[in-house]
Amino acid sequence: DAEVVLVGRSNVGKSTLMREVTGHTFDTGQRPGVTRSPNHYDWTGPDFMITDLPGFGFMKGVPEEVREEIKTDVVRYVEANAEKILVGILVVDGKSVVDIIDRHSGPDEIPHDVEMFHFLREVGVEPVVAVNKMDKVDDEDERLNDLCDRLGLYPPWKQWQETIAPISAKRGDIDALNEAVRHHLHEAKRDDL
Ligand code: GDP
C-alpha cells in the first residue's frame, strides 16, 4: 500500500493535522521529546497509509542530544522506507517559518525545514510542504513566495501548488493539501502503467 509520511518541527500542528486527515484523536501538546515510534493510520478517503513521525527541532526542556536523536530516527525511517513512501508532507508553521529559516541560515548552518525538504527529494520522496496556521498570516502570497525562495523554488508560489499547500489544520481547511497529495498519488499510479 502507498505510504505518506508526516514530518515537521514540534508545535507546527502535526497532531492537529493528523486528527483532521484520519478522524482519530491525538494528544496535542503531548509531552515534547518523548521519543515516539512511527505511528501508522489510514487517511480517510483515498487508500493509503499515513505515518506520523516524531517532531524534531527545538523543544523546551529537551536536551540537544535527544533532539538530534529524534531527527536521526526520522531520517533513518524515511531512508529505510523511501521506496514505498510516495509523499513526504513537511508541516511548517506559516506564521514563523520564514523568520526561523532566516535566523538559522549561515555558512555552517542549514535550517531544519530546508534540510528536510532537500533530504526528501534526495531520497526520491515527493515533498509537499503543508504551510499550516495560515489563519494567522496576513499577506498570504508574500509569505508563500518568501518560503518558495528559501526552499529554492522559483516564485510565484502558485506555480508550485503540488508542492506548497497553505492550510489551517485547526479550522479544518486542508483542501490544498488533499489536492497536492492526490496529485502525486495519481502521478505515481500513471507511472506504474
Ligand atoms: P504538534 O506539536 O506539531 O503536534 O502541534 P499541535 O497539533 O499540538 O499544535 C500546536 C499548537 O498549534 C496548538 O496550540 C494548536 O492548537 C495550534 N494549531 C495547530 N494548527 C493550527 C492552525 O491551523 N491555526 C492556528 N492558529 N493554530 C493551530
Side-chain angles (χ1 to χ4, degrees):
D1 245 16
E3 179 173 355
V4 169
V5 295
L6 205 59
V7 299
R9 298 163 54 93
S10 63
N11 213 40
V12 294
K14 277 169 73 247
S15 315
T16 308
L17 180 59
M18 277 299 281
R19 193 167 54 213
E20 221 24 73
V21 299
T22 64
H24 291 267
T25 37
F26 292 87
D27 283 345
T28 45
Q30 190 170 28
R31 222 152 48 86
V34 179
T35 312
R36 297 170 293 162
S37 16
N39 287 312
H40 308 288
Y41 299 93
D42 292 327
W43 189 293
T44 50
D47 49 346
F48 59 87
M49 177 175 86
I50 178 157
T51 302
D52 186 23
L53 294 167
F56 50 81
F58 179 79
M59 283 165 271
K60 210 170 172 235
V62 179
E64 166 81 38
E65 61 208 67
V66 175
R67 274 148 43 192
E68 280 302 316
E69 270 168 35
I70 294 172
K71 196 168 141 191
T72 304
D73 286 349
V74 169
V75 165
R76 288 221 180 104
Y77 179 85
V78 175
E79 271 171 352
N81 297 279
E83 211 146 291
K84 55 180 181 172
I85 301 173
L86 287 177
V87 174
I89 299 173
L90 171 63
V91 188
V92 300
D93 179 339
K95 182 81 184 167
S96 60
V97 63
V98 173
D99 287 342
I100 293 176
I101 288 175
D102 288 349
R103 209 182 309 144
H104 293 280
S105 296
D108 38 36
E109 196 181 9
I110 301 170
H112 290 311
D113 292 322
V114 176
E115 187 183 24
M116 203 47 79
F117 181 79
H118 293 299
F119 163 73
L120 290 170
R121 280 183 150 181
E122 269 159 32
V123 295
V125 172
E126 290 284 353
V128 171
V129 186
V131 193
N132 193 27
K133 308 196 188 182
M134 288 306 287
D135 55 289
K136 294 207 286 184
V137 175
D138 292 330
D139 194 336
E140 176 163 334
D141 287 334
E142 191 186 345
R143 182 62 46 83
L144 297 171
N145 286 339
D146 285 349
L147 178 60
C148 276
D149 173 71
R150 304 311 188 268
L151 294 175
L153 304 173
Y154 203 76
W157 77 272
K158 292 263 189 193
Q159 304 189 110
W160 298 100
Q161 294 192 59
E162 288 94 41
T163 308
I164 302 288
I167 62 168
S168 174
K170 200 173 174 176
R171 293 194 176 167
D173 179 4
I174 59 162
D175 289 355
L177 178 63
N178 275 321
E179 269 170 44
V181 170
R182 228 163 257 159
H183 168 87
H184 293 295
L185 294 179
H186 287 154
E187 293 275 297
K189 274 193 189 141
R190 237 181 30 197
D191 290 347
D192 279 348
L193 294 177

